[in-house]
């Protein structure tokens, strides 16, 4: 995509400083993540290797298998060696049977060394390679489909949420949305899924305010969108959420099922789901490696800060989070063009010049991250039951999207404060976007922020605040983890040893092996 | 968890379909089949407050919304409050019982229409059109009558076998009756756009009464009214032969006219021939 | 008011040419108007002189008196001499009794000469002077109130329509609107009033889609707005319509009752009410002289063209009409600051770049008429029953108003295609305006149309087309009247000898006297 | 011309007023007293067309709109059509019969509240708050509990005589019951924001049932729920003591708490004292 002439001048030295500080802040956390694994990372390895399905209660076989191994021999060496060793020892003909037996403790796992270990690793690596090949194939399929069917003709891409709780209601709604102009469909997850330490199974119909993300719902929806993509002559992308306690598994399933974007923020789970920070950073690094391989655009969640903090006062925390997301993503191998950094139109509409302040913030992000497919998110917090006013705010949000060259536009709903979107809300919202995009056309060419005007000054000011905050994070004793503990982001205080899922974190032993990571990190190819 | 289940009894897979393939009963659809969801807004002449919100919920309940959500209340002044209400209504729509004015005539091309007129009348079909009363909105009637037409279809003036007399805006009923007689009109086309205080209803009934008085039964021209806010089912109540609503195209009107005029009589019930007195 | 730096460059020579051509086109019509009078002009003289009231059927005494005089001696000398001669001859103690007697033909009018004529004129001129003094007093009152209470703090002024048909419903609605932010209240007239050749009487409650304009409804509404002006701390202006067959009388009543703006277009009655062109031009010249004296801002009706013609194709007819309205107004003594030239946001929203085209047209008007209080009017024609979409369009309309320094913003209603505005529509509409004005703030400073971009090119193109059209009007045989006859404006064909009210036009005789015009034209002071 | 006349019978000048000065009956107000005007929108699972428009009109009629104007119809797909309908409803609102939860307690300042707690309990009032179930919307409960507060009023943590334990998001009901017992809570404050498929109703009834089971009658803590979509009249149905809706302020909640806790018993019905078994 070609970028227009920059409309905002930022001091290049300050930009460099911001990035250097972000790298410094993320460094120790990356070290932490490199030296640990989690139950979900290990389950993801099994999923890559093809283990699927669940017991009668819905507990997946990957959970049974990882839990059994952990009980018996621990996860310090990773799941690969004990599992493929057991297979090599013919404890079971395949992973599924092995898991079934393991569930009732009918398998004995060991941690072999020497030849047996090497033998197990050969099996594990072959299985992992097959899994990654599946991901590669999905990526190739996407590239092929995009080449044949085409990308949306315009930017920003139009991103729409579907959230009925029932995959069979979601499908026709998603198809209708695509026909009506959506370029990206996000299926929101049921409340509570992110706190489940397993991935549900099957074509679920019973979510609350969202639909359970499962391998099967991914498959059904992707197939439905493939169908409609051909019909509308644009490749319609599918999005879900790689967050919560199963982030690595969800990422793996997304890669295999050819999802195209995944919500995946470095700190969202910590702040908004009270998931343990270490668990989150470990899971996240792995999931981002998967996304990088799968060619999946990650979407970060800076919008969320502004739902609890004030969008003017806390504007710089958005910038800081974007910079952190960027550095974490680069480290995990994601290139700029897969970095859907987020930001949102959340300034109180009663604030004078609110629209210009939004323009300033949006231009700041655009200028700082010229090659990232920025995701621009609509007003939510200041939406009310006055749906008419809401429809208007969404129109002005859409206009900022057009004026500041955003890449992905999450379409706002007039019923934001009322219900999860109705079919008609989505249709009306798309009309709104289309009107604004068509009517404004190339208006960006006439939008030239006055050099010392409000917009330029405000953007520089926010960048300055971001640099100061990064500096204070780097300077503070415990670095980023302490900053999180002190409530720096979104006002949420999350200690490094608190939150959910800490017990799923395991410090890697000397002999830790992860055959999937090996491939993703390029140790093996 | 129940609303959608109960709903699928109503519209889900299984139940019989009407001959035209439609389900026999449906409910409004928010995001789940059968959820009955509806959005409402209105103003009550009450000062804002809990009591007014309760009143809003009561009204919604009376409208059939069992569990209304009053999601917005805003004082317009100290005597009025505006509300937005969301919720499920318990009513079902009985699709079979829906009254629609089905197109009772075949849709013809201008060529076919011209041929049919020649065939049945052996002369041009005469149409007199006007906005009556104080209404000056001519765009609608012009859309039907002027050569330029509407929605890509040419207007009646374009039809070789039609004679169109467009009287324009704010024509009084006596003038209209008089012109219809003079022109020996087969059909009189009247447009009514202003509906405040039911102006369109009053004007139309006044007009149809005048025609009934001025012409012997069976001899009066066909009376056709149109406008964006008419109920197409109300022809009898308004004393006219046909009503055309929002989005009517000239082709529909032309097709109707040949059908109705030809159908009425082959002899020709034109306006003058047997005119008696008028005022 | 201070104008911002011009954002559009127009060729000054072409601007001069446009004005010269407009003067040339209007000249012959002004000559026509100078040499004629109408029944309504004469009735206006009587109204200025204080004659009010009506018979039991509601026919005003001014009509009876003018009709009687016309029947007996004609109007070629004007109403003044025969009427004040009759009073001098003590046919009746005052105008009312005279009219009552005249209604039953119980008075004999004559056209005296010499001393008797002079004597009659003294009486007439005194009465006229008293009337004009009343207008002057209203103007002084307005100036005083504005000085004490203040003008709206922002531009554009917010102009709202009230149209219940019942003055007693109108009043609380107008007051609520003012409290909610309206700066100008327009009371729309009942359909059909413009075709009445008399002004109804009293506090009417039975209008259709508007309320009858009468001396009493003017008085009641002005008093109600005075009350609310004090309350809200801004002088809230009142608008009505000086158009139709009684334009001169309505203008006179407006001057006396301290209305602040009047719709008064040079060609609206001709085109949209099929009123005879000559009648219209004569009535209009008088009414504009009254407005000039009264300090009333006239509002022209270029918006109306765009309801029947396409807003892109016919954009230049708006410009031509503005130029004609300007020259006619100047001739009648109206200074630029009383020239509320109209234009409207009526481009089909489906047209690509429609918003930028609107900006181009609005900037053209702004640049051509820097000192006129431009009236910017909302979408109507492309409004549909989709009230959500309508609310959005109105928001973008409001934004053009802020970006192009409009002075008067006629607030659009989401129910435009449905009903005359409800109380809640108006409240919602005001919220819309307030949001846009507040949120956009000084965004105009960042709006810099690219020098050779779409906006600049389009504005120049429209001006060029306007000059061509004016040229062809001036060149054509019968000038402006023929152009009107040929459907140049709004596609309506109106011959000079057709339409309503021609029989009310009288060619002035050699001894024609109009004691009100004498004052207004400065012949007498 | 009649609607407004008939309407003024209903709300015009003259008829008696209720004790609080409100008219006894009102109708929705478009632009004329008593016109009954209402705006509606909904989707029907029918393909666009005359039949669907007729169905929309039928639904509106069933909702009490005698002469509905279907002013907008738009195909969302080939199976769904969205409608906007305007028109007058025949229902009147019986203002006297409106059910509102009137504030049954005096509004106190923080100072007064603290004094009242000291006076009646001779100890701190203990409040345990949480978002239960899978709901993670803490902004509402935080608005009530956190020092920072809401709408310019400080939250309950600011009150010297209150002990506030805020458990945050996604707390399970058993955990909540347990904490309430441990803390010897006087009141449990629960927030529910997600309402899709009536999640808030299910969660609240589950919660109140668990408390009823876990504590002997009269000994359980006061149960208070809040959230933007609750019907404040539904406390009995949900088995709780009080519901607070949209726009609640901390001061209201504090005032209610002293009133209700003090009113319940001077002895102190705290959560543990007499706790029996639980699960
Ligand atoms: C254009 C317009 C005007 C123009 C009219 C120009 C002209 N020469 O017609 C002008 C500016 C002059 C005008 C003035 C007024 N208008 Co006006 N106007 C409109 C507007 C914006 C569009 C109407 C239109 O042209 N529609 C397009 C045509 C093609 O659609 P249509 O009329 O529905 O016609 C179609 C069908 O209904 C059908 N049809 C119509 N007639 C007939 C007849 C026959 C025989 C058949 C078969 C079919 C048929 O076929 C047509 C093609 O599909 C509407 C708002 C809106 N967006 O709808 C307001 C609107 C109609 N006006 C309105 C009003 C109140 C007025 C005024 C009275 C305001 C005032 N008090 O000053 C004035 C006075 C007019 C008068 N005396 O009648 C109101 C009416 C409210 C109501 N429901 O009662 C509206 C709805 C605006 C509003 N919300 O206030 N108006
Ligand atoms: C902020 C927000 C979030 C934030 C929450 C951050 C946080 N820490 O709370 C984030 C981004 C995390 C979020 C996530 C989601 N959200 Co959310 N979110 C909102 C939003 C924008 C604002 C809510 C808010 O903060 N309101 C402000 C507070 C102060 O108001 P309040 O809650 O009404 O509280 C007041 C009163 O109700 C009352 N009150 C409330 N609780 C209590 C309790 C007591 C005891 C008392 C006395 C009073 C009281 O007092 C308060 C002060 O007046 C709304 C949309 C909106 N504009 O309303 C959606 C909304 C609530 N979210 C929604 C959804 C669906 C979700 C998700 C489930 C989406 C998904 N599937 O991913 C997720 C998951 C969350 C989960 N598991 O619950 C839906 C709920 C739909 C419905 N009616 O069922 C909404 C309405 C948006 C929508 N239209 O889809 N969300
Ligand atoms: C970045 C990010 N991740 C994940 C989620 C989904 O949250 P969960 O599935 O944990 O409820 C969101 C919600 O909007 C988000 O913004
Ligand atoms: C310039 C102008 N004059 C007059 C009117 C009112 O028209 P009438 O009162 O003739 O219906 C309008 C209507 O909008 C107008 O724009």
């Amino acid at each position: 995509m070609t970028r227009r002439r920059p409309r905002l001048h930022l001091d290049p030295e300050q930009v460099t400083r911001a990035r250097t500080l972000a790298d410094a802040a993320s460094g120790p956390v990356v070290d932490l993540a490199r030296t640990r694994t989690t139950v979900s990372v290990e389950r993801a390895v099994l999923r890559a290797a093809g283990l699927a399905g669940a017991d009668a209660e819905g507990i997946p076989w990957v959970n049974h298998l990882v839990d059994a191994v952990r009980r018996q021999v621990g996860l310090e060496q990773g799941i690969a060696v004990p599992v493929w060793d057991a297979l090599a020892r013919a404890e079971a003909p395949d992973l599924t049977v092995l898991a079934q037996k393991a569930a009732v403790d009918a398998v004995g796992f060991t941690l072999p060394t020497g030849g047996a270990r090497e033998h197990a690793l050969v099996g594990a690596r072959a299985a992992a390679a097959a899994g990654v090949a599946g991901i590669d194939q999905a990526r190739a399929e996407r590239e092929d489909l995009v080449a044949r069917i085409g990308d949306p003709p315009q930017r920003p891409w139009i991103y729409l949420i579907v959230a009925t709780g029932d995959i069979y209601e979601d499908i026709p709604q998603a198809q209708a949305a695509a026909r009506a102009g959506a370029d990206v469909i996000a299926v929101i997850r049921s409340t509570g899924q992110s706190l489940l330490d397993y991935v549900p199974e099957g074509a679920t119909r019973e979510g609350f305010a969202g639909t359970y993300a499962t391998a099967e719902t991914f498959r059904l929806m992707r197939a439905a969108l493939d169908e409609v993509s051909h019909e509308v002559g644009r490749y319609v992308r599918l999005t879900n959420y790689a967050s919560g306690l199963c982030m690595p598994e969800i990422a793996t399933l997304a890669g295999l099922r050819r999802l195209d974007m995944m919500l995946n923020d470095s700190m969202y789970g910590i702040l908004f789901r009270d998931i343990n920070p270490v668990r989150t950073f470990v899971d996240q690094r792995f999931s981002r490696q998967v996304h990088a391989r799968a060619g999946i655009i990650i979407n970060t969640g800076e919008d969320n800060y502004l739902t609890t903090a004030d969008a003017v006062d806390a504007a710089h925390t958005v910038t800081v989070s974007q910079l952190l997301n960027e550095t974490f993503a680069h480290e995990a191998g994601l290139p700029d063009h897969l970095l859907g950094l987020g930001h949102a139109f959340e300034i109180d509409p009663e604030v004078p010049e609110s629209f210009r302040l939004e323009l300033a913030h949006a231009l700041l992000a655009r200028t700082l991250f010229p090659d990232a497919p920025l995701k621009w998110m609509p007003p939510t917090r200041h939406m009310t039951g006055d749906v008419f006013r809401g429809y208007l705010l969404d129109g002005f949000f859409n206009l900022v999207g057009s004026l500041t060259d955003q890449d992905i536009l999450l379409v706002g709903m007039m019923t934001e404060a009322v219900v999860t979107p109705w079919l008609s809300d989505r249709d009306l919202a798309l009309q709104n976007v289309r009107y604004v995009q068509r009517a404004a056309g190339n208006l960006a060419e006439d939008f030239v922020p006055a050099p010392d005007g409000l917009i330029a000054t405000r953007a520089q000011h926010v960048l300055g605040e971001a640099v100061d905050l990064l500096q204070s994070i780097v300077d503070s004793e415990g670095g980023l983890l302490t900053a999180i503990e002190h409530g720096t982001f979104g006002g949420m205080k999350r200690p490094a040893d608190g939150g959910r899922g800490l017990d799923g974190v395991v410090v890697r032993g000397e002999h830790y092996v992860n055959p999937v990571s090996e491939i993703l990190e390029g140790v093996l190819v | 968890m129940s609303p959608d289940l109960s709903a699928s009894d109503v519209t889900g897979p299984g139940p019989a379909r009407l001959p035209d393939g439609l389900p026999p009963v449906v409910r409004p659809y928010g995001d789940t089949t059968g959820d009955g969801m509806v959005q409402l807004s209105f103003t009550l002449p009450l000062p804002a407050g809990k009591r007014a919100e309760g009143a809003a919920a009561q009204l919604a309940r009376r409208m059939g919304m069992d569990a209304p959500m009053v999601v917005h209340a805003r004082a317009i002044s100290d005597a009025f409050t505006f509300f937005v209400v969301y919720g499920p209504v318990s009513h079902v729509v009985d699709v079979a019982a829906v009254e629609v004015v089905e197109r009772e005539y075949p849709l013809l091309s201008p060529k076919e229409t011209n041929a049919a007129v020649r065939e049945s009348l052996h002369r041009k079909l005469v149409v007199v059109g006007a906005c009556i009363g104080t209404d000056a909105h001519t765009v609608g009637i012009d859309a039907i009558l002027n050569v330029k037409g509407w929605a890509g279809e040419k207007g009646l003036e374009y039809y070789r076998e039609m004679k169109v007399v467009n009287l324009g805006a704010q024509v009084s009923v006596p003038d209209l009756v008089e012109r219809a007689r003079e022109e020996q009109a087969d059909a009189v086309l009247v447009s009514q756009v202003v509906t405040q205080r039911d102006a369109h209803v009053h004007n139309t009934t006044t007009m149809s009464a005048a025609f009934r008085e001025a012409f012997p039964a069976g001899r009066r021209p066909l009376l056709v009214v149109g406008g964006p806010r008419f109920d197409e089912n109300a022809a009898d109540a308004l004393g006219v032969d046909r009503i055309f609503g929002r989005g009517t195209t000239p082709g529909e009107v032309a097709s109707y006219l040949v059908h109705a005029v030809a159908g009425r009589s082959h002899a020709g019930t034109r306006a003058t021939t047997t005119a008696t007195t008028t005022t």
Side-chain angles (χ1 to χ4, degrees), chain A, chain B:
Chain A
M1 86 210 70
T2 52
R3 293 268 155 250
R4 300 206 183 79
R5 69 201 142 96
R7 265 186 301 267
L8 192 65
H9 176 76
L10 297 176
D11 174 3
E13 253 176 61
Q14 210 175 20
V15 172
T16 309
R17 213 175 131 219
R19 284 217 162 76
T20 312
L21 285 166
D23 292 347
S26 67
V29 172
V30 170
D31 291 343
L32 208 86
R34 282 173 173 286
T35 54
R36 281 163 181 76
T37 186
T38 72
V39 286
S40 183
V41 167
E42 300 305 319
R43 294 193 302 251
V45 170
L46 295 178
R47 290 198 179 269
L51 179 53
D55 70 12
E57 253 95 82
I59 303 301
W61 297 125
V62 292
N63 286 59
H64 282 298
L65 193 46
V66 168
D67 290 350
V69 168
R70 191 177 190 191
R71 267 195 311 272
Q72 295 188 25
V73 299
L75 290 172
E76 287 68 15
Q77 294 203 8
I79 193 79
V81 169
V83 161
W84 271 269
D85 169 62
L87 287 178
R89 284 186 286 113
E91 289 274 356
D94 59 27
L95 284 172
T96 311
V97 177
L98 185 71
Q100 287 165 344
K101 290 177 74 176
V104 292
D105 271 326
V107 195
F109 293 102
T110 61
L111 291 174
T113 52
R117 178 180 159 92
E118 287 314 310
H119 189 64
L121 277 177
V122 169
R125 286 181 175 136
V132 176
I135 292 175
D136 291 344
Q137 191 196 323
R139 180 180 188 148
E141 252 171 56
R142 180 192 306 115
E143 282 162 4
D144 180 50
L145 284 166
V146 170
R148 283 194 292 131
I149 311 183
D151 263 328
Q154 89 297 331
R155 290 267 168 164
W157 288 351
I158 299 171
Y159 175 116
L160 256 181
I161 286 176
V162 167
T164 70
D166 177 343
I167 185 70
Y168 291 110
E169 296 278 348
D170 288 343
I171 286 177
Q173 295 202 6
Q175 290 186 323
R179 288 190 188 102
D183 301 313
V184 184
I185 297 289
V187 180
I188 281 207
R189 299 199 299 178
S190 174
T191 60
Q193 173 162 13
S194 47
L195 302 189
L196 300 178
D197 211 341
Y198 65 90
V199 179
E201 279 287 318
T204 64
R205 312 190 63 169
E206 57 280 318
F208 282 99
T211 304
Y212 285 101
T214 72
E216 183 60 7
T217 57
F218 284 5
R219 191 187 66 76
L220 287 168
M221 187 55 92
R222 186 57 266 169
L225 294 184
D226 280 349
E227 189 187 307
V228 86
S229 294
H230 284 99
E231 191 186 317
V232 299
R234 305 170 259 122
Y235 179 71
V236 180
R237 286 178 171 74
L238 175 59
T239 303
N240 210 289
Y241 295 74
S243 76
L245 292 171
C246 297
M247 196 189 300
E249 296 168 81
I250 295 271
T252 306
L253 293 173
L256 289 166
R257 297 287 185 247
R258 192 167 27 91
L259 268 71
D260 308 284
M261 298 188 182
M262 293 299 276
L263 281 262
N264 186 259
D265 187 271
S266 53
M267 299 188 288
Y268 176 86
I270 303 169
L271 301 172
F272 297 96
R273 291 295 170 268
D274 197 10
I275 293 176
N276 173 266
V278 180
R279 168 81 180 249
T280 296
F281 285 120
V282 178
D283 282 350
Q284 212 225 149
R285 183 161 179 271
F286 181 88
S287 62
R288 287 189 172 187
Q289 291 174 335
V290 174
H291 292 141
R293 183 79 179 204
I296 288 176
I297 297 175
I298 64 163
N299 290 188
T300 61
E302 284 76 7
D303 54 312
N304 294 291
Y305 301 132
L306 306 182
T307 65
T308 49
D310 181 79
V312 175
D313 298 347
H316 63 293
T317 66
V318 167
T319 309
V320 167
S321 169
Q322 289 166 335
L323 289 161
L324 290 173
N325 264 308
E326 180 189 47
T327 175
F328 282 124
H330 283 165
E331 193 279 330
L334 283 161
D336 281 344
H337 74 268
L338 295 181
L339 274 189
L341 299 174
H343 54 148
F345 184 99
E346 288 282 20
I347 300 174
D348 184 347
E350 296 294 321
V351 168
E353 310 260 14
S354 64
F355 183 69
R356 286 173 96 198
L357 294 173
E358 295 287 6
L359 285 166
H361 297 175
L363 270 188
L364 172 59
R366 180 69 291 164
T367 312
L368 270 181
F369 307 101
D371 299 317
L374 294 185
K375 183 180 184 192
W376 178 229
M377 287 177 273
T380 64
R381 185 182 180 182
H382 296 287
M383 295 290 276
T384 66
D386 182 348
V387 287
F388 302 103
R389 170 180 168 282
Y391 199 69
L392 175 70
L393 287 184
D394 283 335
F396 276 70
F397 156 75
N398 291 335
L399 184 59
V400 174
S402 290
L403 284 178
T404 61
D405 308 326
Q406 303 298 315
D407 297 290
I408 304 169
L409 185 98
L410 197 165
V411 177
M413 297 291 143
M414 68 180 197
T415 51
E416 172 60 33
V418 184
V419 286
T420 48
W422 289 357
L423 183 65
S424 53
D425 295 332
R426 229 175 278 120
D427 191 66
L428 282 164
L430 281 172
Q431 264 197 78
N432 189 325
V433 173
R434 271 200 310 273
Y435 167 68
V436 175
Q437 291 190 346
R438 188 175 50 232
N442 200 13
L443 180 63
E445 107 180 1
D446 310 307
F447 171 54
V448 186
D452 299 310
L454 180 77
I455 291 179
T457 322
R458 173 69 190 162
Q460 275 142 15
H461 179 77
V462 172
L463 179 58
E465 285 183 315
V467 167
D468 292 349
L469 176 56
L470 281 166
Q471 185 70 61
S472 78
I473 291 172
V474 170
D475 290 350
S476 87
E477 189 121 6
L480 183 57
L481 286 177
T482 313
I484 293 173
E485 180 158 355
H486 291 164
T488 303
F489 299 99
M492 310 283 181
K493 299 182 178 171
R494 304 299 191 198
D497 59 356
R500 298 168 162 110
L502 176 56
D503 57 351
V505 180
V506 176
V507 177
R508 295 184 186 183
E510 201 186 334
H511 300 294
Y512 179 80
V513 184
N514 184 324
V516 174
S517 298
E518 284 175 346
I519 306 176
L520 300 181
E521 295 179 5
V523 180
L524 289 175
V525 196
Chain B
M1 196 146 285
S2 47
D4 53 328
L5 297 182
S6 67
S8 59
D9 300 348
V10 173
T11 55
R17 298 260 146 180
L18 297 179
D20 52 6
L22 296 180
V25 272
V26 295
R27 300 183 67 193
Y29 182 101
D31 73 343
T32 311
T33 301
D35 61 19
M37 289 294 181
V38 158
Q39 173 269 332
L40 254 178
S41 77
F42 51 82
T43 299
L44 291 178
L46 292 172
K50 296 239 157 177
R51 199 145 182 112
E53 291 185 30
Q58 191 198 73
L59 177 69
R61 254 181 249 111
R62 292 190 176 188
M63 292 177 74
M65 211 183 252
D66 290 337
M69 297 189 286
V70 178
V71 300
H72 177 65
R74 183 180 140 89
I76 293 187
S77 71
D78 51 16
F80 292 95
T81 310
F82 174 66
F83 296 98
V84 178
V85 181
Y86 274 77
V89 289
S90 50
H91 307 292
V92 295
V93 177
D94 181 347
V95 179
V98 165
E99 280 180 28
V100 240
V101 177
E102 297 284 1
R103 191 158 48 71
E104 70 276 22
Y105 51 89
L107 261 190
L108 307 179
S109 69
K111 235 173 118 177
E112 291 165 334
T113 301
N114 285 331
V117 172
R118 268 193 309 272
E119 172 88 355
S120 61
L121 295 188
H122 310 291
R123 56 167 174 82
K124 289 197 178 187
L125 191 157
V126 180
V127 171
V128 171
C131 291
I132 60 168
T134 56
D135 204 324
H137 290 88
T138 52
V139 178
I141 185 91
D142 287 348
I144 303 298
L145 298 182
N146 288 3
V147 175
K148 204 175 142 197
W150 185 248
E153 293 182 9
K154 297 275 182 200
L156 303 194
E157 287 177 357
Y158 170 79
Y159 289 70
R160 225 176 326 133
E161 299 298 331
M162 300 224 182
K163 179 183 174 193
V164 174
V165 182
N166 185 348
L167 303 179
Q170 300 189 322
V171 175
S172 75
V173 168
D175 286 357
L176 178 65
V177 171
E178 205 36 53
R179 270 313 271 282
R181 184 192 317 286
E182 264 172 54
E183 301 288 348
Q184 309 191 16
D186 293 295
V188 170
L189 269 58
V190 159
S191 182
Q192 285 285 274
V193 172
V194 175
T195 60
Q196 210 207 24
R197 300 189 182 199
D198 280 337
H200 60 316
V201 171
H202 298 299
N203 287 337
T204 304
T205 49
T206 307
M207 182 272 296
S208 63
F211 274 92
R212 264 197 308 281
E213 191 173 313
F215 295 94
R219 299 287 170 118
R220 64 159 174 77
L222 211 60
L223 300 179
V224 179
V225 292
R229 298 284 159 263
F230 277 111
D231 174 357
E232 295 196 352
N233 297 304
D236 286 349
L238 300 184
V240 297
D241 297 295
R242 190 67 157 80
I243 296 178
F244 286 93
R246 205 161 44 88
T248 306
T249 66
E252 289 168 349
V253 179
S255 303
Y256 164 76
L257 288 178
V258 265
H259 171 83
V261 172
R264 269 177 122 200
S265 99
H266 286 265
T269 357
R270 297 170 85 195
T272 38
T273 30
T274 47
T276 45
T277 47
T278 180
T279 19

